[in-house]
Amino acid sequence: GDSVTQTEGLVTLTEGLPVMLNCTYQTIYSNPFLFWYVHYLNESPRLLLKSSTDNKRTEHQGFHATLHKSSSSFHLQKSSAQLSDSALYYCALAGNYKYVFGAGTRLKVIA
Amino acid sequence: ETAVFQTPNYHVTQVGNEVSFNCKQTLGHDTMYWYKQDSKKLLKIMFSYNNKQLIVNETVPRRFSPQSSDKAHLNLRIKSVEPEDSAVYLCASSLDWGASQNTLYFGAGTRLSVL
């Protein structure tokens, strides 16, 4: 079946350093959508960005990700981490009437 | 701006009791969901409803029963709660069923603690 793998459970970064959260997926669906959702403490999870276009960079609120179908990856990046980026980040795959979430990566940004 | 509303925010109860959670969305979406976020923050789909009809029922214990009066409301009842039911229950909605590009809109969640 479909699956999403986020290898890091916790990423701790110093403010100002670049962010990279890994996401790889497996699916038999030929045209999946990949998503990043962000869940701040005491708030609702919400969409950060999404894409289904191979090799096209998608950006939102300083974050970016590029879907690479050849490597089944959709890594989330940001050039410079801010304290306010501390949150739980979920990568998700949608295709064939089903949403599948990764286990989530907690990003902790410290001063 | 919040558009998926869940009540209550928190609920503490004892093993064996019955609990009910409510969810309402004001987005005019056709599809609603219940997700369980466990202590390890894993998000697991429990139920999917489209136009108040049950579409997906994942492997969920029978003590869980969803109820939908119309497409804007999706409630969740747990009959006889057990300790492993302690979790955050997240309600979500999407525009319609089956379109893989649809964004999920989540409520703030109901945190259940079973003593």
Side-chain angles (χ1 to χ4, degrees):
Chain A
D2 296 342
S3 66
V4 175
T5 301
Q6 294 180 247
T7 50
E8 310 103 347
L10 172 66
V11 171
T12 303
L13 283 173
T14 302
E15 191 178 16
L17 289 181
V19 178
M20 179 151 166
L21 306 184
N22 291 317
C23 174
T24 57
Y25 65 92
Q26 283 189 315
T27 183
I28 60 171
Y29 189 58
S30 59
N31 194 30
F33 257 83
L34 272 294
F35 301 76
W36 277 99
Y37 283 85
V38 58
H39 191 185
Y40 295 101
L41 190 63
N42 297 323
E43 294 186 14
S44 310
R46 60 176 174 82
L47 177 71
L48 184 56
L49 44 80
K50 65 180 181 182
S51 179
S52 68
T53 306
D54 200 10
N55 298 317
K56 182 181 175 184
R57 177 170 159 144
T58 300
E59 298 190 37
H60 186 63
Q61 295 187 327
F63 287 90
H64 63 93
T66 303
L67 177 60
H68 292 296
K69 291 186 178 180
S70 61
S71 57
S72 298
S73 67
F74 192 58
H75 306 318
L76 183 68
Q77 300 183 69
K78 189 178 184 186
S79 59
S80 175
Q82 297 177 291
L83 294 174
S84 58
D85 294 330
S86 295
L88 182 58
Y89 292 81
Y90 288 104
C91 183
L93 162 75
N96 210 22
Y97 295 91
K98 204 169 180 181
Y99 240 89
V100 177
F101 282 88
T105 297
R106 179 167 297 285
L107 176 63
K108 183 178 177 182
V109 183
I110 57 177
Chain B
E1 185 179 344
T2 304
V4 181
F5 303 92
Q6 290 186 241
T7 57
N9 295 326
Y10 303 95
H11 191 83
V12 181
T13 191
Q14 294 189 326
V15 171
N17 285 350
E18 178 176 314
V19 298
S20 287
F21 306 145
N22 300 313
C23 180
K24 170 187 172 181
Q25 54 96 1
T26 58
L27 293 164
H29 288 169
D30 284 347
T31 309
M32 295 185 72
Y33 312 82
W34 278 109
Y35 280 85
K36 180 180 180 181
Q37 187 185 47
D38 65 20
S39 58
K40 295 182 180 178
K41 306 303 181 186
L42 293 174
L43 265 180
K44 295 282 179 64
I45 182 71
M46 300 176 71
F47 302 102
S48 302
Y49 266 72
N50 189 56
N51 257 315
K52 75 178 184 178
Q53 299 295 319
L54 179 65
I55 300 295
V56 171
N57 181 351
E58 295 292 330
T59 307
V60 175
R62 293 180 69 173
R63 61 182 179 278
F64 289 85
S65 58
Q67 298 162 321
S68 180
S69 55
D70 57 58
K71 70 178 190 178
H73 295 84
L74 182 61
N75 300 331
L76 182 66
R77 185 180 76 156
I78 313 174
K79 195 162 69 170
S80 190
V81 295
E82 298 191 7
E84 61 264 32
D85 298 337
S86 294
V88 175
Y89 291 87
L90 288 163
C91 177
S93 73
S94 66
L95 183 61
D96 51 32
W97 175 252
S100 58
Q101 71 268 25
N102 283 342
T103 297
L104 293 179
Y105 293 82
F106 286 92
T110 294
R111 181 178 296 279
L112 174 66
S113 292
V114 181
L115 304 177

